Amino acid sequence: ITLNRKTTSQYLCIENPFLSIIGGIQPKVLPTLFEKNRGDNGFIYRLLFTTIGNYIPKAPENNLSLDVIQGYEEFITKFHTMTSNNESKLIPLSLDALNYFQKWSNEFIYVSTDDDRLNQYKSKLEAYALRFSLIIEMSYSVSASNVIQEISLPSMENAISVVRYFYGNFQDVLSMNSSSTEDKDLKLYKRIVYNYKEGVSKEDTVNELNKEGFTVSSIAKALDIPRSTVSGYVNTRTKTTMTNNE
């Protein structure tokens, strides 16, 4: 199934959708994640980064006790049993959890920063907070052998703490990328100034920068034009290229 941004009113049902992507990456490779328009489709801003800082892992000296292993296996079994009946169930937020979530969203999610990458990342964290709160509440329910009725305030508080952790890690990722970004920004502005002096049109300038790997967002910001205008120039060039190839 291939679908790029559903915009029609027609329904599309995908049964049992599930996708998990887990992997590792070297710090020196991180800057390449934002090159060649990779940030424009929003995929990077859906990743949850975990960094270990200066921690140096060591081989464990002691094995886990049998009680811990058995307890973990029992917990996972109960968790899967709770979610294996394939029946949809609406789990509402408690009033306290809802108020806490709304206050956090208004004070954090909907407050813009000067970095568009952070703004795009924050826009995805609101949904993550809700998902984490459900997972945490289900964990509490399994541990206490209770039927889950609603998302409690402690679950929402812990979920937002997890979200803050991942947001801080993303800021670390951007700081690792800062020197590379500064170099690219300088190159971007130099090219714009050169093209302006040479009389190159704005559309041709956009397409040259796009081919060199600059993102739609960075080009729009540098030229002080809407992103939709930049995307229009790029799409026109792409269609023209495809027509010529045909």
Side-chain angles (χ1 to χ4, degrees):
I1 297 174
T2 301
L3 180 66
N4 186 10
R5 293 193 178 278
K6 181 179 180 299
T7 57
T8 65
S9 59
Q10 183 178 0
Y11 289 102
L12 176 65
C13 179
I14 304 175
E15 295 185 1
N16 301 320
F18 188 87
L19 176 64
S20 291
I21 301 176
I22 303 175
I25 188 171
Q26 299 87 346
K28 291 183 179 180
V29 183
L30 277 174
T32 64
L33 291 179
F34 299 89
E35 294 178 354
K36 299 180 180 179
N37 301 327
R38 293 192 182 101
D40 288 342
N41 62 9
F43 174 72
I44 290 175
Y45 305 109
R46 289 175 168 82
L47 298 179
L48 298 174
F49 293 92
T50 298
T51 59
I52 61 173
N54 296 322
Y55 171 75
I56 300 177
K58 299 179 180 179
E61 297 179 356
N62 300 313
N63 295 325
L64 287 175
S65 68
L66 185 59
D67 290 340
V68 172
I69 297 175
Q70 290 178 339
Y72 175 78
E73 291 178 346
E74 290 176 2
F75 176 85
I76 294 299
T77 300
K78 290 181 180 179
F79 199 99
H80 280 292
T81 301
M82 176 185 291
T83 59
S84 62
N85 56 13
N86 295 323
E87 294 181 3
S88 298
K89 181 180 180 181
L90 180 64
I91 308 296
L93 300 180
S94 69
L95 181 59
D96 289 341
L98 176 61
N99 290 336
Y100 188 86
F101 174 74
Q102 291 176 331
K103 184 175 185 295
W104 169 76
S105 296
N106 290 329
E107 295 178 353
F108 176 70
I109 297 295
Y110 300 120
V111 177
S112 297
T113 70
D114 294 331
D115 193 329
D116 187 53
R117 296 168 301 177
L118 285 177
N119 293 331
Q120 292 193 59
Y121 195 72
K122 287 167 64 175
S123 69
K124 308 296 185 293
L125 293 180
E126 188 173 33
Y128 272 121
L130 293 172
R131 293 168 184 164
F132 289 150
S133 68
L134 177 59
I135 294 172
I136 293 171
E137 187 65 41
M138 290 179 65
S139 299
Y140 289 155
S141 179
V142 169
S143 298
S145 297
N146 294 330
V147 178
I148 182 172
Q149 299 294 336
E150 61 181 10
I151 306 297
S152 64
L153 176 59
S155 293
M156 181 57 68
E157 290 174 333
N158 288 325
I160 290 176
S161 294
V162 175
V163 166
R164 287 177 177 143
Y165 163 77
F166 285 117
Y167 180 71
N169 285 341
F170 186 69
Q171 289 178 304
D172 290 341
V173 168
L174 293 184
S175 66
M176 296 176 191
N177 187 42
S178 60
S179 59
S180 174
T181 301
E182 291 171 1
D183 293 340
K184 290 200 68 177
D185 285 345
L186 181 59
K187 180 180 177 182
L188 173 63
Y189 285 105
K190 282 184 176 180
R191 170 56 67 85
I192 291 174
V193 171
Y194 174 81
N195 282 11
Y196 176 76
K197 290 181 178 179
E198 294 296 318
V200 179
S201 70
K202 187 174 293 184
E203 181 175 358
D204 289 340
T205 298
V206 166
N207 287 319
E208 286 181 13
L209 295 171
N210 180 255
K211 285 191 291 185
E212 291 184 17
F214 291 102
T215 66
V216 170
S217 298
S218 62
I219 296 173
K221 183 177 180 181
L223 290 173
D224 194 24
I225 58 178
R227 289 181 57 180
S228 58
T229 301
V230 176
S231 298
Y233 288 152
V234 173
N235 290 336
T236 299
R237 177 181 65 83
T238 302
K239 291 178 182 178
T240 302
T241 302
M242 291 176 64
T243 301
N244 292 336
N245 290 337
E246 292 174 354

